[in-house]
Amino acid sequence: MRLNCKIESGELLYNTLQCLETMGKQWFLVFKPSSLEIILEAGHLRTFVNISTTLFQSYLVEAKHQNTIYMEIMGEYLLRALKSGQKSPVSISLRKKEYAVLSVITKQGKRMILTHDVPVDILDPLSASNELREPRFDHVPIQTMLPRMSKLGQFVHRTRHLTHLITISSNGRRCTLSVNTDKAKIETVFCGLETIDNPDLPTQLPSTSQTTVDVRDLVRFMHLAPLDPLEIVLSLVPHLW
C-alpha cells in the first residue's frame, strides 16, 4: 500500500477543506487513482466531496483493492497540518510508524521543513466501499438546477430561528422553499429554473415532489458557500416512487 502526492501550493486545498470543518469532525478519505473523495456525516446530512487529481502536481496511490485506500481521520488535525502550507509546496504520504499516519510535509523558505504526522485508521476496503458509496440518482423523477448558493442562504438564514423544519417542493421549473409556524408562513419561490431530463424514466411522472428537511442540515450545507459552486442540483424522490 503506497500513497504519495504533491501539490505546488496548499492554499486551494486548505480553503476547500476549511469549508467542511463545521460539517463534521470525523472525515473519511478515499484515495482513488483518479480522485480524492471526502465523506462527512453530521445529523441527517451526509456530504460527498470529490477532488480531481489534476489539483496535484504528482499523485500516486497503490493498493490491493482497485488501487484505492480508505481511511478515517480527524478533520481538524488535517487542517492544522495543511495550514502551514498555504503559500508553499505540500507533500502528503501514508506512513506506518507505531500506527498509520498521514504525513503532511510543508516547506517554509529554503531552510525550514515542517512535518505533521496525522493519525489515521485504515479501513477494510470491502466494507468501506459499500458503506461509503455515494448514492446514485438515475431514478429520480425531478431534478432541478437551483440558483446560486448565496440566494438560497438568504432564505435559510432568515428563517432558521423560526422553525427547525423547511419544506422544499419542485416541479422542475419552479422550486419553493417554505416554513410554517403558528404565527406565520413564509415562502420563497424560484421560477424559470433549468431541469435535468432523464430519458430512461417512465413518461408518467409526478407533477410536483416535495420533502421536509431539518434547517440545521441546510445551515451546514450553506457552509460550502465560500466555494461558490456553479451548479447545484436538487433531486427530490417521492415517498411512493
Side-chain angles (χ1 to χ4, degrees), residues 137-154:
F137 296 100
D138 298 338
H139 64 291
V140 175
I142 295 179
Q143 290 186 300
T144 304
M145 298 288 291
L146 292 180
R148 302 297 282 267
M149 190 170 285
S150 57
K151 293 184 178 181
L152 298 176
Q154 292 175 4

mmCIF file of all heavy atoms in Angstrom, residues 137-154:
data_model
loop_
_atom_site.group_PDB
_atom_site.id
_atom_site.type_symbol
_atom_site.label_atom_id
_atom_site.label_comp_id
_atom_site.label_asym_id
_atom_site.label_seq_id
_atom_site.Cartn_x
_atom_site.Cartn_y
_atom_site.Cartn_z
ATOM 1 N N PHE A 137 -28.642 8.845 -8.501
ATOM 2 C CA PHE A 137 -29.977 9.407 -8.646
ATOM 3 C C PHE A 137 -30.502 9.238 -10.064
ATOM 4 O O PHE A 137 -31.207 10.096 -10.588
ATOM 5 C CB PHE A 137 -29.953 10.893 -8.261
ATOM 6 C CG PHE A 137 -29.608 11.134 -6.815
ATOM 7 C CD1 PHE A 137 -28.324 11.505 -6.457
ATOM 8 C CD2 PHE A 137 -30.554 10.969 -5.822
ATOM 9 C CE1 PHE A 137 -27.990 11.722 -5.128
ATOM 10 C CE2 PHE A 137 -30.245 11.179 -4.499
ATOM 11 C CZ PHE A 137 -28.959 11.558 -4.150
ATOM 12 N N ASP A 138 -30.148 8.107 -10.681
ATOM 13 C CA ASP A 138 -30.619 7.854 -12.039
ATOM 14 C C ASP A 138 -32.137 7.705 -12.103
ATOM 15 O O ASP A 138 -32.749 7.957 -13.142
ATOM 16 C CB ASP A 138 -29.958 6.589 -12.591
ATOM 17 C CG ASP A 138 -28.440 6.733 -12.685
ATOM 18 O OD1 ASP A 138 -27.972 7.881 -12.729
ATOM 19 O OD2 ASP A 138 -27.745 5.708 -12.715
ATOM 20 N N HIS A 139 -32.751 7.277 -10.984
ATOM 21 C CA HIS A 139 -34.187 7.002 -10.988
ATOM 22 C C HIS A 139 -35.019 8.180 -10.507
ATOM 23 O O HIS A 139 -36.241 8.089 -10.428
ATOM 24 C CB HIS A 139 -34.467 5.811 -10.060
ATOM 25 C CG HIS A 139 -34.133 6.095 -8.624
ATOM 26 N ND1 HIS A 139 -32.836 6.246 -8.188
ATOM 27 C CD2 HIS A 139 -34.929 6.279 -7.537
ATOM 28 C CE1 HIS A 139 -32.845 6.492 -6.885
ATOM 29 N NE2 HIS A 139 -34.088 6.522 -6.477
ATOM 30 N N VAL A 140 -34.374 9.299 -10.170
ATOM 31 C CA VAL A 140 -35.092 10.432 -9.596
ATOM 32 C C VAL A 140 -35.929 11.120 -10.674
ATOM 33 O O VAL A 140 -35.397 11.505 -11.719
ATOM 34 C CB VAL A 140 -34.102 11.438 -8.977
ATOM 35 C CG1 VAL A 140 -34.841 12.679 -8.492
ATOM 36 C CG2 VAL A 140 -33.355 10.783 -7.827
ATOM 37 N N PRO A 141 -37.245 11.284 -10.442
ATOM 38 C CA PRO A 141 -38.106 11.852 -11.479
ATOM 39 C C PRO A 141 -37.922 13.347 -11.685
ATOM 40 O O PRO A 141 -38.110 13.850 -12.783
ATOM 41 C CB PRO A 141 -39.512 11.553 -10.961
ATOM 42 C CG PRO A 141 -39.351 11.431 -9.486
ATOM 43 C CD PRO A 141 -37.997 10.846 -9.259
ATOM 44 N N ILE A 142 -37.581 14.094 -10.629
ATOM 45 C CA ILE A 142 -37.467 15.538 -10.753
ATOM 46 C C ILE A 142 -36.092 15.982 -10.273
ATOM 47 O O ILE A 142 -35.732 15.794 -9.116
ATOM 48 C CB ILE A 142 -38.567 16.260 -9.941
ATOM 49 C CG1 ILE A 142 -39.949 15.933 -10.517
ATOM 50 C CG2 ILE A 142 -38.331 17.761 -9.933
ATOM 51 C CD1 ILE A 142 -41.090 16.571 -9.773
ATOM 52 N N GLN A 143 -35.318 16.562 -11.187
ATOM 53 C CA GLN A 143 -34.023 17.131 -10.861
ATOM 54 C C GLN A 143 -33.982 18.554 -11.403
ATOM 55 O O GLN A 143 -34.249 18.794 -12.580
ATOM 56 C CB GLN A 143 -32.886 16.309 -11.447
ATOM 57 C CG GLN A 143 -32.702 14.952 -10.763
ATOM 58 C CD GLN A 143 -31.481 14.214 -11.276
ATOM 59 O OE1 GLN A 143 -31.390 13.918 -12.454
ATOM 60 N NE2 GLN A 143 -30.547 13.929 -10.386
ATOM 61 N N THR A 144 -33.641 19.491 -10.531
ATOM 62 C CA THR A 144 -33.709 20.913 -10.860
ATOM 63 C C THR A 144 -32.374 21.578 -10.567
ATOM 64 O O THR A 144 -31.750 21.305 -9.536
ATOM 65 C CB THR A 144 -34.813 21.598 -10.026
ATOM 66 O OG1 THR A 144 -36.051 20.923 -10.240
ATOM 67 C CG2 THR A 144 -34.969 23.055 -10.436
ATOM 68 N N MET A 145 -31.954 22.451 -11.474
ATOM 69 C CA MET A 145 -30.766 23.266 -11.241
ATOM 70 C C MET A 145 -31.175 24.478 -10.405
ATOM 71 O O MET A 145 -31.938 25.328 -10.863
ATOM 72 C CB MET A 145 -30.168 23.713 -12.567
ATOM 73 C CG MET A 145 -29.698 22.563 -13.449
ATOM 74 S SD MET A 145 -28.199 21.786 -12.831
ATOM 75 C CE MET A 145 -27.030 23.091 -13.116
ATOM 76 N N LEU A 146 -30.678 24.542 -9.170
ATOM 77 C CA LEU A 146 -31.056 25.619 -8.260
ATOM 78 C C LEU A 146 -30.229 26.879 -8.524
ATOM 79 O O LEU A 146 -29.180 26.838 -9.167
ATOM 80 C CB LEU A 146 -30.849 25.166 -6.815
ATOM 81 C CG LEU A 146 -31.789 24.068 -6.307
ATOM 82 C CD1 LEU A 146 -31.462 23.729 -4.866
ATOM 83 C CD2 LEU A 146 -33.247 24.508 -6.426
ATOM 84 N N PRO A 147 -30.702 28.028 -7.997
ATOM 85 C CA PRO A 147 -29.926 29.256 -8.124
ATOM 86 C C PRO A 147 -28.636 29.186 -7.302
ATOM 87 O O PRO A 147 -28.391 28.204 -6.594
ATOM 88 C CB PRO A 147 -30.870 30.337 -7.583
ATOM 89 C CG PRO A 147 -32.095 29.670 -7.172
ATOM 90 C CD PRO A 147 -31.965 28.211 -7.338
ATOM 91 N N ARG A 148 -27.828 30.235 -7.355
ATOM 92 C CA ARG A 148 -26.567 30.272 -6.638
ATOM 93 C C ARG A 148 -26.813 30.153 -5.143
ATOM 94 O O ARG A 148 -27.852 30.522 -4.608
ATOM 95 C CB ARG A 148 -25.803 31.565 -6.949
ATOM 96 C CG ARG A 148 -25.526 31.763 -8.425
ATOM 97 C CD ARG A 148 -24.629 30.679 -8.972
ATOM 98 N NE ARG A 148 -23.240 30.881 -8.622
ATOM 99 C CZ ARG A 148 -22.371 31.528 -9.388
ATOM 100 N NH1 ARG A 148 -22.764 32.028 -10.541
ATOM 101 N NH2 ARG A 148 -21.117 31.657 -9.013
ATOM 102 N N MET A 149 -25.817 29.636 -4.446
ATOM 103 C CA MET A 149 -25.967 29.348 -3.026
ATOM 104 C C MET A 149 -26.230 30.607 -2.195
ATOM 105 O O MET A 149 -26.878 30.558 -1.150
ATOM 106 C CB MET A 149 -24.726 28.618 -2.516
ATOM 107 C CG MET A 149 -24.865 28.067 -1.115
ATOM 108 S SD MET A 149 -23.519 26.970 -0.654
ATOM 109 C CE MET A 149 -23.950 25.501 -1.584
ATOM 110 N N SER A 150 -25.753 31.748 -2.649
ATOM 111 C CA SER A 150 -25.984 32.987 -1.907
ATOM 112 C C SER A 150 -27.472 33.305 -1.804
ATOM 113 O O SER A 150 -27.947 33.796 -0.769
ATOM 114 C CB SER A 150 -25.237 34.148 -2.574
ATOM 115 O OG SER A 150 -25.642 34.283 -3.926
ATOM 116 N N LYS A 151 -28.235 33.015 -2.866
ATOM 117 C CA LYS A 151 -29.676 33.263 -2.838
ATOM 118 C C LYS A 151 -30.386 32.270 -1.919
ATOM 119 O O LYS A 151 -31.319 32.641 -1.198
ATOM 120 C CB LYS A 151 -30.247 33.187 -4.250
ATOM 121 C CG LYS A 151 -29.768 34.300 -5.170
ATOM 122 C CD LYS A 151 -30.452 34.226 -6.516
ATOM 123 C CE LYS A 151 -30.008 35.360 -7.423
ATOM 124 N NZ LYS A 151 -30.684 35.318 -8.740
ATOM 125 N N LEU A 152 -29.972 31.021 -1.948
ATOM 126 C CA LEU A 152 -30.572 30.029 -1.052
ATOM 127 C C LEU A 152 -30.279 30.371 0.394
ATOM 128 O O LEU A 152 -31.126 30.219 1.284
ATOM 129 C CB LEU A 152 -30.022 28.633 -1.381
ATOM 130 C CG LEU A 152 -30.308 28.081 -2.777
ATOM 131 C CD1 LEU A 152 -29.603 26.741 -2.961
ATOM 132 C CD2 LEU A 152 -31.796 27.917 -2.998
ATOM 133 N N GLY A 153 -29.051 30.822 0.644
ATOM 134 C CA GLY A 153 -28.644 31.139 2.009
ATOM 135 C C GLY A 153 -29.456 32.253 2.628
ATOM 136 O O GLY A 153 -29.687 32.269 3.839
ATOM 137 N N GLN A 154 -29.922 33.204 1.821
ATOM 138 C CA GLN A 154 -30.718 34.307 2.346
ATOM 139 C C GLN A 154 -31.978 33.792 3.023
ATOM 140 O O GLN A 154 -32.339 34.246 4.111
ATOM 141 C CB GLN A 154 -31.069 35.277 1.217
ATOM 142 C CG GLN A 154 -29.878 36.035 0.651
ATOM 143 C CD GLN A 154 -30.246 36.891 -0.543
ATOM 144 O OE1 GLN A 154 -31.425 36.990 -0.918
ATOM 145 N NE2 GLN A 154 -29.260 37.521 -1.162
#
